[in-house]
Amino acid sequence: MSCPSGIGPDGATLLGQLDVGSHASDMGMTITEKILARASGRERVSAGDVVIAKVDRVMMHDVGAPGVWDVFQELRSKGVDVSKIFNPGMVWMTEDHFVPPPDPKSAENIRLMERMAEMYGIKEYYRFGLGTYGVCHTLAYEEALVLPGQVYVGTDSHTVTSGALGVFATGMGHTDVAYILLYGKNWFRVPETLLFRLNGALRDGVMGKDVILRILGDIGADGANYMAMEFAGDGVRAMPLDDRMTITNMTVEAGAKNGIMAPDEQVVEYYRSKGKYGFPVLSSDPDAEYRDVFDYDLGALEPMVAKPYSPANAVEVSEVEGTEIDEAYLGSCTGGKYYDMLQAARVLRKANRRAKARFVVVPSSTNVYRRMLKEGLLDVFLEAGAVIGPPTCGACIGGHMGVLGPDEVAISSTNRNFPGRMGHRTSKVYLASPATVAASALEGRITDPRRILG
C-alpha cells in the first residue's frame, strides 16, 4: 500500500490526516495484528484499522536504493531536509540483483549505494567481492538481521520471506521507504488474515515449494490481495526453516501484504545460536478472527509445477511431465538456500549421471556457497555438468547469468514466470521445487523427482 504523495517538511503532514479510529472487537488477535498493535503503541487492533506504526528494520538493495535516492532528490527540490535519516542503525543494504555488474548502469547503481551508505552512516552493508553477501532475503535470515515481532520493510516484494520467522515483513515502494528512512514510521492498514493449517508431513521428493504452488493454484493470483497469509499446524513445525521461508516467500504471488508463521522452538533456537535474545515470541490467539481457513494434508501433496505464465497456474507434475526443456535453473531467494541445494544434490547423487539440459546453479549467499564447498555439494553439481555462479538474483529477473533466448523453455526454482521474466518474451518458464528442477535437468524434460529418488 503506497503512502500518498506530498510529504511535508515536518514529516507529519499526511500521517496526521489519517483516520486511525479502531474497529476492534472482543475477539482475540492474529499474530499480524499483535505485531502491528505493538508497533503502533496500541493494546489491540483489528483488520481494517489504519495505524501509524514504528518500523524496526529497513532493507535496500541495488535495484531499490537508487529509486529511494531519486525520491530523496525530489523531496530536496521541494524543501525537505534529506541530509540525514531517522536512524542509520535500522537500515541494512546488500548488493544482490545485478552483481557482478553486467553493464555500466548496474555498476553505477552500486556506486550510488556506496555513496548513500557513506552519506547516511549505514554500517550494515553487504558488498559483493568483499566477504559475506548474497540475496537479501537469505541474508536477512542467515545474519539474523531481523527478529521475531518486528516490523520489517524492504525495497523488494519478496521481503515477505522473513515472515517465516514471526516477523511482519512486507515490500514497499520507493516513496514509502524514503518516508520511513526519514521519519522511522509509516501508516499501514491492518490486513485481514487467511489461515492455512498444514498438517502431517511431506513425502520424500515433495518440498515447501510444492506446498505454496498448491495453495496458489487453489486460491489464485489475487486470492489474498492485501491480506496476511498465516501458516500453522504440525506440518509447519516439521519443516526446516529454509522450506518455511519458501512458503512465505511466494505469498506475494497471491497478492498478500505479508506471509507469516508463529515462531516455534526451532526459530528460537536458531536465534539463540546467533546470540539473539529478548525478542517477543508471539502467536495468534485461539479465538482470533480469520477471513477464511484452509486445511491441507501435506502427506497427500504431489510435486507441483506452475505452467506459464503465472505462479498460480499450478498443476501436479504428472500433467506436464515429459515437456522438453532447454535450461534448468536452481537458485534465487526461493530456491537457492542451503536446504534447496541439499535436496537437489540428493537427486543428482541418486542418479549419478550428467544433465541433459543446460544446468545453471546459483547459491543465494556466500554462506550457502561455503557450506556447499565444505560438504562436497559443489562437486555433485559439477559432476552433473552444471555451471555454478556467484550469489545473485540475475537470471530470476532476466538480468544476467542464465537469461533465456527466444522460444527457450526452462524449469526454475524461482518465484515468477511472467512473460519475459527470465529473458525473451517468447521464452517459457515452468516453476518447480529444487528436487524437481534437478530431476528435470538430468532427463532434459520435466520429471517427477520421485522417479529418481525411488
Side-chain angles (χ1 to χ4, degrees):
M1 192 172 185
S2 298
C3 186
S5 60
I7 298 173
D10 62 355
T13 304
L14 291 171
L15 295 184
Q17 296 174 357
L18 292 176
D19 173 15
V20 295
S22 176
H23 307 288
S25 68
D26 294 330
M27 300 289 290
M29 287 192 290
T30 67
I31 181 174
T32 293
E33 290 164 353
K34 287 182 179 182
I35 293 173
L36 290 176
R38 288 169 59 92
S40 57
R42 294 187 176 202
E43 184 175 336
R44 61 173 298 113
V45 298
S46 294
D49 289 350
V50 175
V51 300
I52 302 170
K54 171 182 173 289
V55 175
D56 298 288
R57 294 292 270 162
V58 179
M59 180 279 296
M60 294 188 290
H61 51 46
D62 54 299
V63 171
V68 173
W69 176 261
D70 289 343
V71 174
F72 276 177
Q73 304 322 299
E74 182 180 354
L75 293 175
R76 186 198 306 273
S77 70
K78 297 178 180 179
V80 179
D81 181 9
V82 296
S83 62
K84 60 183 179 180
I85 58 178
F86 180 78
N87 175 15
M90 73 190 294
V91 187
W92 71 276
M93 301 196 302
T94 186
E95 301 165 357
D96 64 358
H97 272 56
F98 289 90
V99 294
D103 52 56
K105 180 59 178 177
S106 300
E108 181 183 341
N109 285 342
I110 297 297
R111 295 290 289 171
L112 178 56
M113 283 186 72
E114 295 170 354
R115 180 181 176 189
M116 290 180 72
E118 181 178 1
M119 178 176 178
Y120 294 112
I122 299 169
K123 305 300 183 185
E124 289 181 286
Y125 184 8
Y126 297 86
R127 303 181 59 190
F128 86 94
L130 288 169
T132 297
Y133 88 98
V135 177
C136 52
H137 313 305
T138 299
L139 278 185
Y141 155 62
E142 290 180 338
E143 301 298 315
L145 297 173
V146 292
L147 299 175
Q150 289 186 331
V151 173
Y152 168 49
V153 305
T155 57
D156 191 287
S157 60
H158 292 104
T159 301
V160 293
T161 306
S162 292
L165 304 169
V167 180
F168 177 80
T170 191
M172 302 194 84
H174 300 146
T175 302
D176 294 281
V177 172
Y179 189 97
I180 293 165
L181 289 178
L182 292 174
Y183 306 113
K185 57 189 175 182
N186 202 8
W187 66 279
F188 299 86
R189 179 169 64 83
V190 180
E192 296 178 291
T193 297
L194 300 177
L195 176 63
F196 298 84
R197 294 190 294 225
L198 310 180
N199 299 303
L202 295 171
R203 292 179 291 175
D204 196 26
V206 184
M207 299 182 65
K209 180 67 167 288
D210 301 304
V211 177
I212 190 60
L213 287 180
R214 173 73 276 170
I215 290 172
L216 290 172
D218 290 342
I219 70 174
D222 59 354
N225 278 352
Y226 205 96
M227 298 182 198
M229 292 176 67
E230 180 180 335
F231 303 89
D234 57 11
V236 171
R237 294 189 292 274
M239 290 182 190
L241 297 184
D242 281 3
D243 237 10
R244 299 184 196 185
M245 289 189 293
T246 298
I247 293 174
T248 51
N249 172 273
M250 291 190 66
T251 55
V252 71
E253 311 310 334
K257 181 66 174 177
N258 67 302
I260 198 162
M261 300 174 181
D264 60 5
E265 190 58 29
Q266 188 179 165
V267 173
V268 173
E269 282 300 320
Y270 178 79
Y271 278 105
R272 285 174 181 163
S273 74
K274 296 292 185 179
K276 302 292 185 179
Y277 304 91
F279 49 81
V281 180
L282 303 175
S283 60
S284 296
D285 294 326
D287 60 343
E289 188 173 2
Y290 295 99
R291 168 71 176 267
D292 209 343
V293 178
F294 303 84
D295 287 285
Y296 284 86
D297 175 6
L298 297 187
L301 289 185
E302 302 285 322
M304 301 293 295
V305 174
K307 301 186 294 183
Y309 292 99
S310 169
N313 191 18
V315 298
E316 293 183 355
V317 66
S318 58
E319 185 170 320
V320 292
E321 193 163 17
T323 302
E324 293 188 358
I325 61 172
D326 298 289
E327 178 173 303
Y329 184 83
L330 180 64
S332 86
C333 57
T334 317
K337 305 178 294 299
Y338 171 75
Y339 184 73
D340 301 321
M341 296 294 170
L342 180 64
Q343 294 307 303
R346 282 186 63 233
V347 174
L348 300 179
R349 278 176 168 148
K350 183 77 171 182
N352 193 28
R353 50 190 168 83
R354 294 178 68 84
K356 294 181 180 178
R358 187 169 70 234
F359 195 10
V360 181
V361 177
V362 181
S364 61
S365 73
T366 51
N367 295 320
V368 173
Y369 205 116
R370 281 190 289 263
R371 190 170 179 183
M372 291 172 67
L373 175 62
K374 181 178 179 181
E375 298 181 9
L377 299 188
L378 292 182
D379 286 338
V380 174
F381 288 108
L382 289 170
E383 288 169 6
V387 60
I388 303 172
T392 180
C393 297
C396 176
I397 53 174
H400 64 139
M401 294 179 60
V403 173
L404 301 175
D407 301 317
E408 285 197 309
V409 177
I411 188 164
S412 175
S413 68
T414 54
N415 45 45
R416 287 177 178 160
N417 59 348
F418 309 144
R421 170 69 178 186
M422 292 185 66
H424 199 279
R425 284 191 63 84
T426 62
S427 63
K428 295 180 179 179
V429 178
Y430 292 79
L431 303 178
S433 76
T436 302
V437 168
S440 303
L442 290 174
E443 299 295 338
R445 56 183 182 270
I446 296 178
T447 301
D448 187 332
R450 297 173 300 180
R451 296 190 184 279
I452 295 174
L453 292 171

